[in-house]
Amino acid sequence: MSHSKPTSRPARPFFSSGPCVKRPGWSPDVLKEALLGRSHRAAEGRARLKEVITRSKNLLEIPEDWRLGIVPASDTGAVEMILWALGGQRGIDVLSFESFSETWAKDLKNELKLEDLRILEAPYGQLPDLSHVDWSRDVVLTWNGTTSGVCVPSPESVPATHEGLVICDATSAAFAMDLPWDRLDIVTWSWQKALGGEAAHGMLALSPRAVARLEQGAPRALPKIFRLTNKKGLIEAIFEGDTINTPSMLCVEDALDSLKWAEQVGGLPALKARSQKNLATVTPWVEASDWVAFLSADPATRSCTSICLKIIAPWFEALSEEQRGKVVKHLTGLVAKEGAGYDLASYRDAPAGLRIWGGATVEAEDIALLLPWLDWAMEQTKKEFAV
Ligand SMILES: Cc1ncc(COP(=O)(O)O)c(C=O)c1O
């Protein structure tokens, strides 16, 4: 089938998997009331930080007895502070199945040099066998592998009772997928993903069991930026809006705008539905395509946020790894040059392919308008590369 050049473009051609597209209707005007040039420790600053915490807790339906805090260094900061504070207290199982989950596994092994560590691996496109996880140990679980488009299939995938703590990197799942708070103990995310916020600030949610474990003390010295406890126990103020170091009040204002938008469109059920609709827009196109397929073969583990696609055209599969990378660069470059879609190449460590962000801030109509551009660009690219 031949694909002529499309004539309509997505209104918002932003498909990056982070920082993700702003919410529909966003403009810099939403930042007008930001508390700039004032201390974040003043009553007004602290109130805004607390508001981010309260609104996030409500939206995500986090249990009342959990603590939620804003921490430095985005999702990476939130995950690392936990790995360094708890790693070695107990045996750990870590699931490694794409770039970020592999980073956590490597840090536990090579940096923290933990002895009692089991790394459960799976290649890009698959999830490690969850029946092999020993839930009596601490478990590091990335809920959605942003670079492979594979997610944990259901809230029941984690057993209701488990002796160890479940440490969940949910940065590309939160606000788009169900998170079983009663089965998790530590959950992290950032503002720059599903709500289209700004980078550099992390969110850390702790169950009462997680707090008790943190209060046992870290098996090693920690830098200030990672310290959640002092001699008296948990530093409760962090979970009331006192940050460890200085946050950007511009980003705080932006986060509040995203959270208010999320509430207005109908809260978590509406956010999940928007993301599901985005995946549902891509699915029939993939199924009808002769050149593209989902990287995640099992529909049950298919992500609705980071929609990762592999290229299955025989001429592409015959190319070297290096040539495949060039094909993807060419294809995505053509689409970007036309202003029809940006940041569509797969992650640098993932198999050469495409990735379309489908979180709640993306409009399904924009994805629908993008897809014919991909067909067109692939046809142009084939002319350059197929031998
Ligand atoms: C699963 C996962 N973990 C961690 C990160 C790192 O997030 P950040 O750059 O916000 O620290 C990302 C970023 O895309 C991610 O997708």
Side-chain angles (χ1 to χ4, degrees):
M1 195 166 101
S2 170
H3 298 282
S4 52
K5 190 168 173 180
T7 49
S8 318
R9 289 168 173 75
R12 300 190 316 147
F14 307 114
F15 301 104
S16 154
S17 291
C20 301
V21 66
K22 294 287 191 198
R23 55 117 172 141
W26 184 92
S27 90
D29 281 354
V30 308
L31 305 172
K32 275 204 311 258
E33 302 300 321
L35 198 75
L36 303 181
R38 291 286 318 276
S39 169
H40 61 294
R41 304 212 189 271
E44 298 91 327
R46 206 167 179 266
R48 295 211 190 171
L49 289 155
K50 180 73 200 266
E51 192 181 339
V52 172
I53 293 173
T54 312
R55 287 187 188 269
S56 304
K57 228 175 151 178
N58 290 342
L59 249 176
L60 291 172
E61 300 162 12
I62 300 178
E64 207 36 55
D65 59 355
W66 279 54
R67 313 294 204 289
L68 179 60
I70 300 166
V71 297
S74 205
D75 182 63
T76 309
V79 175
E80 292 285 6
M81 68 201 303
I82 290 300
L83 300 186
W84 287 71
L86 297 183
Q89 270 191 351
R90 196 184 182 99
I92 298 199
D93 280 10
V94 55
L95 286 84
S96 166
F97 57 102
E98 48 78 69
S99 180
F100 290 102
S101 48
E102 189 188 5
T103 300
W104 310 145
K106 281 188 175 158
D107 275 6
L108 293 169
K109 183 168 183 260
N110 303 333
E111 309 302 327
L112 290 171
K113 302 191 192 312
L114 299 186
E115 279 167 17
D116 192 3
L117 171 71
R118 300 195 322 157
I119 302 177
L120 287 78
E121 286 174 300
Y124 274 85
Q126 291 172 38
L127 202 61
D129 188 340
L130 292 173
S131 72
H132 293 167
V133 177
D134 179 353
W135 303 95
S136 71
R137 297 155 65 79
D138 288 344
V139 176
V140 179
L141 176 65
T142 299
W143 198 271
N144 182 76
T146 320
T147 63
S148 70
V150 168
C151 61
V152 174
S154 99
E156 282 79 43
S157 303
V158 178
T161 52
H162 47 266
E163 257 177 78
L165 297 179
V166 181
I167 301 162
C168 177
D169 173 357
T171 199
S172 55
F175 302 104
M177 298 176 193
D178 277 320
L179 292 170
W181 298 100
D182 55 337
R183 292 163 192 241
L184 305 173
D185 298 286
I186 296 170
V187 182
T188 67
W189 66 93
S190 76
W191 295 345
Q192 52 121 342
K193 286 274 189 289
L195 287 189
E198 288 302 297
H201 301 76
M203 299 298 290
L204 174 68
L206 304 173
S207 73
R209 269 185 357 117
V211 171
R213 278 284 293 284
L214 284 165
E215 287 185 332
Q216 286 177 19
R220 60 189 59 80
L222 296 177
K224 168 180 166 145
I225 215 87
F226 281 3
R227 255 178 266 149
L228 294 167
T229 55
N230 58 20
K231 277 186 281 196
K232 292 191 214 134
L234 191 75
I235 306 171
E236 294 283 358
I238 295 175
F239 304 91
E240 296 293 327
D242 267 355
T243 46
I244 298 175
N245 66 338
T246 313
S248 156
M249 296 310 285
L250 206 58
C251 296
V252 167
E253 200 63 19
D254 187 65
L256 284 173
D257 172 71
S258 324
L259 291 163
K260 288 177 196 163
W261 169 78
E263 289 161 11
Q264 276 159 17
V265 296
L268 190 57
L271 299 176
K272 286 189 297 188
R274 286 176 64 86
S275 185
Q276 284 296 341
K277 189 172 171 197
N278 289 334
L279 174 60
T281 303
V282 177
T283 303
W285 173 75
V286 171
E287 285 169 352
S289 171
D290 60 357
W291 67 273
V292 86
F294 285 107
L295 189 53
S296 158
D298 179 1
T301 65
R302 198 165 287 161
S303 171
C304 57
T305 55
S306 56
I307 304 171
C308 294
L309 306 171
K310 59 182 175 183
I311 298 175
I312 52 163
W315 67 266
F316 177 85
E317 291 186 317
L319 298 176
S320 67
E321 200 66 26
E322 194 189 346
Q323 282 294 100
R324 289 180 188 195
K326 285 185 183 163
V327 168
V328 169
K329 206 168 166 198
H330 190 270
L331 190 164
T332 54
L334 280 177
V335 180
K337 200 167 153 217
E338 291 290 341
Y342 300 113
D343 305 317
L344 290 157
S346 58
Y347 192 70
R348 57 187 174 200
D349 301 333
L354 303 175
R355 181 171 59 165
I356 304 169
W357 181 254
T361 55
V362 176
E363 300 277 28
E365 304 86 80
D366 283 337
I367 293 194
L369 287 168
L370 164 73
L371 301 175
W373 284 97
L374 296 176
D375 281 327
W376 167 79
M378 183 56 170
E379 202 166 282
Q380 304 306 307
T381 306
K382 183 180 173 185
K383 288 182 203 154
E384 298 279 325
F385 287 87
V387 279

